[in-house]
């Protein structure tokens, strides 16, 4: 049995940020970071980019090996937690060891959601969450020509563009009528479908996927209307699910993820959770920046009780692929009025409800994104729209 001052399970950006913050505030307490990953913390958000550019592994790491030695942080790689008792703060590990932490952070992250599509188990169907996933995908598609991405969200589009950069034929399949369905209104969403087609990315929107067909490996995608799309490989970009299996029977409060308060502490004193696995006020963010902030706050509170509170971030989306530049924030679906600006390749929209600015989309030149973000997040009066320096006009019929 091993005892440590701080036990961190998971080395995603939440676990790494927590360890960094703990060491800033406690120079002497022992820190053990346990992870199922075979590598130290890397920039997971760049995996889709690496499809197109390749990966310089040295630059992919958040911190090098010396950082862990300098900060006296012990790391167990390729090791899973198989059971956890929050009462005793004891973790049972896959290598047979048992470790008790005076303070514990559960930051096991998430895994790709695999939709229940017939044939999803076939060779040539991939989901991407780790560096090993990236390596396997790149090895498989090296001699392939036609690829399909399931899911037209931000990561799906970034992956499709990276596949295009490799000289492959790529099709994005999206069940909604247009890609980025949560970030764009119908008008600009349909425009983006066309822009992607012009770029060379085929878009099949408004249809669900029924089946993957093939013998030795996947060869076709069958849509619900019977349409067949030939393919040599498929990349699933269909969301995430928290890695909660190893703590389901632990006694911790679990809903979609591990339920924590605003200090990121569970119902058991000294047991914290952060990152994709933590649920705050019913929400799981699944975002790199949110996980980094949660790790920082949890690490601080593990040393200085209740020193910081976590606030849900205000969300925005930034898509930059090829010549496409899109920024979106706030609510673009519920509004009384639309203010618009169209000039050349620039198509900007601001959404107003009860004279308050509630959402914004910049398509084309996005240099005003910080001003639009500020107006939206503060729900400014529509009269303040002039601060954006874009000559918006109220669209007739909606005003």
């Amino acid at each position: 049995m091993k005892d440590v001052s701080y036990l961190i399970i998971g080395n995603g950006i939440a676990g790494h940020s927590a360890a960094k913050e703990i060491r800033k505030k406690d120079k002497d307490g022992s820190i053990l970071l346990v992870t199922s990953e075979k590598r130290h913390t890397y920039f997971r958000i760049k995996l889709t980019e690496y499809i197109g550019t390749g990966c310089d592994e040295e630059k992919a790491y958040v911190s090098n090996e010396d950082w862990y030695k300098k900060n006296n942080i012990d790391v167990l790689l390729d090791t899973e937690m198989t059971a956890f008792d929050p009462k005793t703060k004891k973790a049972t590990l896959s290598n047979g060891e048992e470790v008790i932490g005076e303070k514990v952070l559960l930051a096991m992250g998430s895994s790709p959601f695999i939709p229940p599509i017939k044939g999803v188990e076939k060779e040539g169907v991939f989901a991407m969450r780790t560096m090993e996933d990236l390596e396997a995908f790149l090895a498989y598609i090296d001699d392939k020509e036609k690829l399909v991405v399931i899911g037209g969200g931000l990561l799906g589009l970034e992956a499709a563009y990276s596949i295009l950069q490799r000289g492959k034929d790529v099709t994005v399949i999206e069940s909604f009528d247009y890609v980025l369905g949560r970030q764009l209104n119908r008008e600009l969403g349909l425009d983006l479908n066309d822009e992607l087609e012009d770029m060379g990315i085929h878009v099949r929107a408004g249809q669900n996927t029924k089946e993957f067909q093939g013998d030795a490996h996947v060869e076709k995608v069958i849509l619900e209307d019977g349409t067949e799309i030939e393919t040599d490989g498929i990349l699933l970009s269909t969301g995430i699910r928290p890695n909660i299996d190893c703590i389901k029977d632990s006694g911790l409060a679990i809903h979609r993820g591990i339920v924590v308060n605003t200090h990121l502490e569970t119902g058991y004193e000294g047991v914290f959770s952060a990152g994709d696995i933590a649920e705050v006020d019913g929400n799981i963010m699944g975002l790199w920046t949110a996980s980094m902030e949660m790790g920082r706050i949890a690490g601080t509170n593990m040393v200085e009780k209740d020193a910081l509170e976590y606030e849900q971030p205000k969300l925005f989306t930034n898509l930059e692929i090829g010549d496409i530049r899109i920024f979106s924030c706030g609510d673009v679906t519920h509004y009384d009025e639309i203010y618009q600006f169209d000039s050349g390749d620039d198509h900007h929209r601001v959404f107003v409800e009860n004279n308050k600015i509630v959402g914004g989309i910049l398509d084309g030149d996005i240099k005003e994104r910080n001003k639009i973000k500020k107006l939206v997040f503060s729900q400014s009066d529509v009269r303040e729209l002039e601060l954006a320096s874009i000559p918006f006009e109220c669209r007739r019929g909606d005003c």
Side-chain angles (χ1 to χ4, degrees), residues 61-340:
Y61 290 111
V62 176
S63 299
N64 59 29
E65 185 81 33
D66 290 341
W67 180 83
Y68 295 89
K69 294 177 181 177
K70 179 181 177 181
N71 287 281
N72 195 22
I73 297 172
D74 295 324
V75 182
L76 279 177
L77 298 173
D78 198 17
T79 306
E80 295 186 21
M81 182 177 73
T82 58
F84 179 67
D85 182 350
K87 294 179 181 178
T88 61
K89 303 185 188 66
K90 181 179 75 174
T92 302
L93 308 181
S94 58
N95 63 4
E97 290 186 47
E98 293 182 335
V99 183
I100 292 177
E102 183 178 339
K103 303 287 178 59
V104 178
L105 176 67
L106 303 175
M108 293 88 76
S110 60
S111 298
F113 170 65
I114 307 300
I117 299 171
K118 185 177 181 181
V120 74
E121 75 289 346
K122 291 183 180 296
E123 182 181 354
V125 180
F126 295 84
M128 193 170 298
R129 195 65 181 167
T130 67
M131 198 75 81
E132 285 74 23
D133 294 336
L134 171 68
E135 291 170 345
F137 181 69
L138 291 180
Y140 183 83
I141 69 170
D142 185 56
D143 59 351
K144 305 298 189 294
E145 297 297 329
K146 295 183 177 181
L147 298 170
V148 166
V149 176
I150 306 293
L154 183 65
L155 292 180
L157 297 185
E158 290 177 345
Y161 178 68
S162 289
I163 292 168
L164 184 70
Q165 285 182 298
R166 298 188 73 88
K168 312 293 183 180
D169 182 278
V170 59
T171 299
V172 173
I173 298 175
E174 167 59 44
S175 59
F176 204 58
D177 287 344
Y178 50 86
V179 296
L180 292 188
R182 295 182 179 180
Q183 292 87 13
L184 300 179
N185 66 335
R186 182 176 181 82
E187 174 199 15
L188 294 186
L190 293 174
D191 285 349
L192 180 55
N193 286 357
D194 293 337
E195 287 184 75
L196 293 169
E197 289 281 357
D198 292 342
M199 177 185 286
I201 297 173
H202 311 303
V203 177
R204 291 297 187 101
Q207 296 191 56
N208 289 316
T209 302
K210 181 180 179 182
E211 184 180 355
F212 301 145
Q213 291 185 351
D215 294 325
H217 54 79
V218 66
E219 298 172 1
K220 290 181 182 179
V221 177
I222 311 299
L223 303 183
E224 279 195 342
D225 69 353
T227 299
E228 297 184 1
I229 301 173
E230 292 186 2
T231 186
D232 301 314
I234 295 169
L235 179 62
L236 301 172
S237 183
T238 49
I240 59 170
R241 293 294 182 271
N243 292 328
I244 58 175
D245 285 350
C246 65
I247 44 90
K248 274 186 174 179
D249 300 321
S250 65
L252 289 165
I254 298 171
H255 183 219
R256 292 169 57 216
I258 300 173
V259 178
V260 294
N261 59 25
T262 55
H263 300 292
L264 303 183
E265 193 169 19
T266 69
Y268 291 85
E269 187 174 358
V271 179
F272 297 77
S273 185
D276 293 353
I277 199 171
E279 180 178 333
V280 186
D281 293 331
N283 295 310
I284 291 177
M285 299 309 301
L287 298 172
W288 175 272
T289 51
S291 293
M292 182 187 298
E293 178 68 358
M294 292 174 85
R296 183 185 73 84
I297 289 172
T300 298
N301 291 338
M302 290 169 77
V303 180
E304 303 170 354
K305 185 172 176 58
D306 296 347
L308 298 176
E309 285 194 90
Y310 175 74
E311 294 182 7
Q312 297 287 2
K314 293 179 170 61
L315 303 182
F316 62 89
T317 296
N318 207 64
L319 174 69
E320 298 188 32
I321 56 174
D323 293 330
I324 295 174
R325 300 288 184 273
I326 293 177
F327 172 80
S328 172
C329 63
D331 188 349
V332 301
T333 58
H334 300 93
Y335 54 86
D336 303 318
E337 301 173 345
I338 297 179
Y339 284 73
Q340 67 180 38

Side-chain angles (χ1 to χ4, degrees), residues 10-23:
N11 80 329
I13 192 61
H16 182 277
S17 296
K20 181 178 180 180
E21 205 63 30
I22 289 169
R23 186 52 79 221

Side-chain angles (χ1 to χ4, degrees), residues 337-340 348-352 357 359-361 372 385 392:
E337 301 173 345
I338 297 179
Y339 284 73
Q340 67 180 38
H348 305 327
R349 303 289 182 268
V350 167
F351 303 85
V352 175
I357 300 171
I361 300 171
I372 293 294
L385 193 55
F392 286 101

